[in-house]
Amino acid sequence: MESKMMTFQAAAAEGVAQEMRRDPTVYCAGEEVSAHGQAYGVSGQGVFEEFGEKRVRNTPIIETAIVGHAVGAAAVGLRPVVELMFMDFLGICMDELANQAAKMHYMFAGQYKAPMVLRVSSGAVRPAGAHHSQSLEAWAAHVPGLKIVAPSTAADAKGLMITSIRDDNPVVFIEHRALLSVEGEVPAGDYTVPLGKARVTREGSDVTLVAWSAMVPTCLEAAGELAAEGIDAEVIDLRSLIPLDKEAILSSVAKTGKLVIAHEATRTNGFGAEIAAMVADEGFDLLKSPIRRVTAPDIPVPCSPALLKHFVPNAQKIRAAVITIS
Amino acid sequence: MESKMMTFQAAAAEGVAQEMRRDPTVYCAGEEVSAHGQAYGVSGQGVFEEFGEKRVRNTPIIETAIVGHAVGAAAVGLRPVVELMFMDFLGICMDELANQAAKMHYMFAGQYKAPMVLRVSSGAVRPAGAHHSQSLEAWAAHVPGLKIVAPSTAADAKGLMITSIRDDNPVVFIEHRALLSVEGEVPAGDYTVPLGKARVTREGSDVTLVAWSAMVPTCLEAAGELAAEGIDAEVIDLRSLIPLDKEAILSSVAKTGKLVIAHEATRTNGFGAEIAAMVADEGFDLLKSPIRRVTAPDIPVPCSPALLKHFVPNAQKIRAAVITIS
Amino acid sequence: MGATGLDLLGMYRCMVRIRTFEEHILTEWRAGEVPGEVHLYSGEEAVAAGVIANLRVDDYVVSTHRGHGHVLAKGGDPARMMAEVFGRTGGYCRGKGGTMHMADATLGILGTNGIVGASLPIATGVGLYCQYMATDRVSVCFFGDGASNRGTFHESLDLASIWKLPVIYVCENNYYGMATSVEEHMNINDIAERAASYGIPGVVVDGNDVVAVHDAAAEAIIRARSGGGTTLIECKTWRHHGHFTADPAYYRDPDVHNEHLQRDPIIRCGALLLSQGLATKEALDAVHNEAIAEMNAAVEFSKNSPWPEEDELLVGLYAE
Amino acid sequence: MGATGLDLLGMYRCMVRIRTFEEHILTEWRAGEVPGEVHLYSGEEAVAAGVIANLRVDDYVVSTHRGHGHVLAKGGDPARMMAEVFGRTGGYCRGKGGTMHMADATLGILGTNGIVGASLPIATGVGLYCQYMATDRVSVCFFGDGASNRGTFHESLDLASIWKLPVIYVCENNYYGMATSVEEHMNINDIAERAASYGIPGVVVDGNDVVAVHDAAAEAIIRARSGGGTTLIECKTWRHHGHFTADPAYYRDPDVHNEHLQRDPIIRCGALLLSQGLATKEALDAVHNEAIAEMNAAVEFSKNSPWPEEDELLVGLYAE
Ligand SMILES: Cc1ncc(C[n+]2csc(CCOP(=O)(O)OP(=O)(O)O)c2C)c(N)n1
Ligand SMILES: Cc1ncc(C[n+]2csc(CCOP(=O)(O)OP(=O)(O)O)c2C)c(N)n1
Ligand SMILES: [Mg+2]
Ligand SMILES: [Mg+2]
């Protein structure tokens, strides 16, 4: 397949644009998604110019109605791709997401569905403080009916975006700000990546590292360091949290017997807990040592860069966790 | 200490009333908390009659402002005890709870604190449908800075309520509707129960059952059945999820080598995941078998009683889970 | 506009069917046949009947916890509605939804809803669909006086007003949200005044007068169909029963309550039909008798409808 | 009420200090000394200065992402503010907060805030405290035009109005929320009109005229202190820079921008002081020079203030 180098951000935008060309019911909405605002939003990127204000809809600062209106539009026939400028604002629209979008299909016995994508930019990158830095995927993971996608590469950003837009269920699509400008080869055309299929990003035999989004490159970095110390780590990029590719995790643990999960979200009840719990149940007999989680500590995200650098898990911390079970 | 039989609901109300007598800065606010509305709310129960509308404040249907105003009032010197009629409405005020109340103390380096109690009624009891039945403690558990209390007895309802009101941090206080009318001996007077101290409700040596709120009596029932089959289960009532009494769990698992966690919340990323993950890390060497979670399935709460009875975990399911590892 | 030219008898029938449906539920609830609580629409029938009389089958309705009237008026099948309330597989959602989660996608009914104020953003998005697809359809959003204080009201009307969406927000002001009176929960008299915050028309109507409701809605709906945008209509009405089936509603002054009962929309409409010679006493009686027969059959159907089995529990979380 | 009897020179000084503080930050930001983005208050000084001139030290202010002006006007220490922006231990929050989370509990400043619209419910609760404790204190809530569309606006004003809380909601309408103009985000001209939805007074003032702002605020604050309840004040103003430091604000028409710059509140106030003989040119120059010296010192302090160490990371999650 033809491909070209592009950034994660451009690749996601290409995915959206392709779907908009293919399907007239796909539209975007959110704060600063239109022409002027692209300096701020994650989306846009040429999309506005091509499609105009009917299909790329700038909204007031009303996260509740951004998500809430999307539920109604999706139920009757549109495919909204709406966005939160920061994932930190999820609490403002959690009712619409959890009580309306996610429940609609089950509760109405299949009469309605909510095919919508909620794009959220996540992560602590530039020092932006406690309200502009969070990774809150765990909240969504505890809501039956949602899907959660968190790509780590440009190609996946495109391929998973297209799949998410075509999915008939509400999808929370997480774009980590540290990844937006990262480049990669991206297949041209109608390129899709299925949800629920993890990728073994690096094969290894001594320990399994499970991650998603920006923690994947961090795990690869850790794996590199570990290799130098003679420890051969396998790195699994989940790509989607819900559906979760249990098989990929369990078969890797079957090989390595050791599991370390890394995420940028705070520790307690982060999605790492679910993975650990799943393996401690379904993969217990495969385990040779304790399951470690490498996460942000249980605090609000501090603003000062001097503190922030200790907040976000890094390769050294992942390496150190692996060492404790090696 | 003197004590008397009273319901869980009356005991919680007694805790609130005692603190209101002791401390004039304690007030209640929420929907239908005043004289007329007590048929609907969990609180009230004679409190309104004693304290009147200044201190028992009826609000419009504005969950965002109920929690949001409490943050401001708490920061400057009051001790709000506010309530959500149903925990299902948490998504409406999640931003206020997570971004404001929980972060205030850390983010402002200790200059402000938010001593407030958010009472929430939880659980699937009467058939009330997908928006009036949920147990969402896991969302709060993923918010650093909150405490989470979930009593299972009348005495704890009072003792933990008093402690929660005196705590200088935001506390989510979960009152399961199935427990409200359950009676128990409740100590009179200034009776407090510390947060972070679990109780071994039943001692046993073969398996550890961990639960909170209405799942505690269900676990006790399961333990009774298991006893008849020669399996001696220990039942731990966490009482508070945050702070979590890790010691109590780990020392029980040290004895039994087996762990089953029961909660009414849906499975994926429920608080059971955190407990399992913690033990699979810190207690791995103690474990003799897989950690099982007995939970509601990952679906919205169905309304029909014919489905509801299969949704809520019961003693049979807990027993069955134990059998798989016995 | 007066009663002439209107299908007044049709609206009368609609109201009688709603009332009869609700009273049957109350009877069954008292007999212990209905699981859980139900929010009855009795007394407010003129709102659903008057507004929805203007709608086509391809228009949309987004409803509330007190939503049976909206569903019936939009064409909902009382047997499937009743069975849903009873928690049976014959119900609209096979019992999964219940009274507060009852939908009919073939009729554009986006469901009753358990979250007060949730109807507003949903209806806004539905309105966007109507406009986006270049249809002349409209989205009608029902909500209560209590709901009008929620943030969703503000954000939805803001969005609909700037996007000029064909949404008619219909506030059913029955003077109470549970036991809390309008005077307690807001500092103004007319919720319709809030339309000014969004630069859209706001209208107050007597919500017990089905003709007045019909006419106000007609104006708004015609405007919306032709690209004229959003309207807020406040219908002042009264619920005959408590907030839900178990509520004795002691908090309402009995004198005030009785006064309001005098304005029963069905009685008023009946009197108008007779006085204008649009129907005979016998015709009206027939409407009642037919409704009773229909709702008896719905109860019968519901009681005989099977309970869902355990194997349905996990069906349908995701759309495939 | 005119300029007489007012501490006009004091307000002038307040505005100049804010402007100088912000411009110093911009300079340092361009030099790469400031981590992250900053939302500058330059151009909007008359709002903070005019409103807060009416406050006592025991009154409260709840601020926004664009909050340095509010903090300084309420008495905040520019050195500790600046150090917070720089992420140093000398900052108000030892660097943990940053520009959007800067508070001074001793001065009743409840913090700048990263969530647009979050100030409104918080200020409402603070107002409840003032009333509950039977004080004559007031709670002043700042928020932007963009924030006025959020649900928190609606719910907060509803609650404050029915409880008659001593809260003054001050909308800083700078015609934009980021790149989105007021015309795009709402369907009315004056945000103050929204006061009618809550039965409270709503006032529009020229937010570049410090005297007008002062007088409107004085009236509202005196009323609030004496139990007269809540007011909404809309101050029309203009931000001189982009939304935040990195924003070139190309979306604004340069002509319109220049027109607005002519209404610079500091220049206007200076002219008034001179024309009324309340200050000499030298006195005004001295104000500027003092402000520059003060802010130079704040920058110096911040650069020399130590970075927080790793062992501070986990300190202070809970109040003990
Ligand atoms: C968000 C939310 N808050 C609270 C409730 C509980 N509740 C159900 S109905 C109701 C009163 C609604 O009042 P109103 O909007 O006037 O509608 P009415 O019942 O009078 O028809 C309340 C508080 C709820 N279901 N949802
Ligand atoms: C809830 C929320 N949504 C979005 C943002 C991102 N954001 C920060 S400032 C801003 C614009 C605010 O506009 P306005 O209220 O007019 O204040 P101004 O910046 O003009 O002072 C936005 C959208 C945010 N911080 N919080
Ligand atoms: Mg009502
Ligand atoms: Mg603005």
Side-chain angles (χ1 to χ4, degrees), chain A residues 207 209 226 258-262 289-295 314-326, chain B residues 281:
Chain A
V207 60
L209 305 183
L226 287 164
K258 293 179 180 172
L259 176 61
V260 174
I261 305 148
S289 60
I291 301 171
R292 301 282 192 233
R293 288 178 287 165
V294 183
T295 70
N314 55 24
Q316 290 69 51
K317 285 181 185 160
I318 295 168
R319 179 197 155 276
V322 170
I323 297 295
T324 65
I325 53 170
S326 293
Chain B
D281 181 348

Side-chain angles (χ1 to χ4, degrees), chain A residues 105-301:
Chain A
H105 190 262
Y106 181 87
M107 181 162 86
F108 294 149
Q111 290 190 80
Y112 283 105
K113 59 190 185 191
M116 56 186 271
V117 177
L118 177 60
R119 299 178 69 177
V120 294
S121 95
S122 77
V125 185
R126 305 191 58 181
H131 293 160
H132 290 78
S133 305
Q134 295 169 79
S135 296
L136 296 169
E137 59 272 17
W139 288 355
H142 191 51
V143 180
L146 300 180
K147 297 186 177 181
I148 308 175
V149 174
S152 76
T153 68
D156 280 355
K158 174 175 172 177
L160 289 168
M161 178 63 83
I162 293 179
T163 311
S164 297
I165 295 173
R166 292 185 191 169
D167 199 287
D168 272 345
N169 300 284
V171 176
V172 177
F173 192 97
I174 300 172
E175 292 162 85
H176 195 289
R177 276 183 297 279
L179 298 173
L180 295 182
S181 58
V182 172
E183 297 204 321
E185 280 294 325
V186 178
D190 198 29
Y191 172 66
T192 59
V193 173
L195 307 191
K197 285 271 164 261
R199 175 185 36 220
V200 179
T201 299
R202 181 191 196 282
E203 291 202 20
S205 54
D206 294 336
V207 60
T208 301
L209 305 183
V210 171
W212 54 92
S213 190
M215 276 297 127
V216 174
T218 310
C219 281
L220 287 171
E221 193 189 331
E225 293 181 15
L226 287 164
E229 299 172 70
I231 298 171
D232 187 21
E234 177 144 309
V235 178
I236 295 184
D237 177 356
L238 288 182
R239 302 204 282 193
S240 71
L241 310 189
I242 312 284
L244 176 65
D245 191 345
K246 289 188 190 185
E247 307 250 323
I249 299 170
L250 290 171
S251 61
S252 179
V253 174
K255 182 166 61 168
T256 64
K258 293 179 180 172
L259 176 61
V260 174
I261 305 148
H263 61 65
E264 192 185 305
T266 54
R267 182 176 185 83
T268 299
N269 235 77
F271 192 69
E274 177 58 32
I275 297 171
M278 185 275 287
V279 175
D281 182 348
E282 300 175 36
F284 182 77
D285 297 334
L286 311 172
L287 286 168
K288 293 190 225 134
S289 60
I291 301 171
R292 301 282 192 233
R293 288 178 287 165
V294 183
T295 70
D298 281 326
I299 50 170
V301 185

Side-chain angles (χ1 to χ4, degrees), chain C residues 12 16 274 279-292:
Chain C
Y12 183 80
V16 170
L274 294 175
T280 61
K281 174 89 180 53
E282 293 67 43
L284 299 191
D285 287 347
V287 167
H288 286 266
N289 291 333
E290 281 161 29
I292 289 169

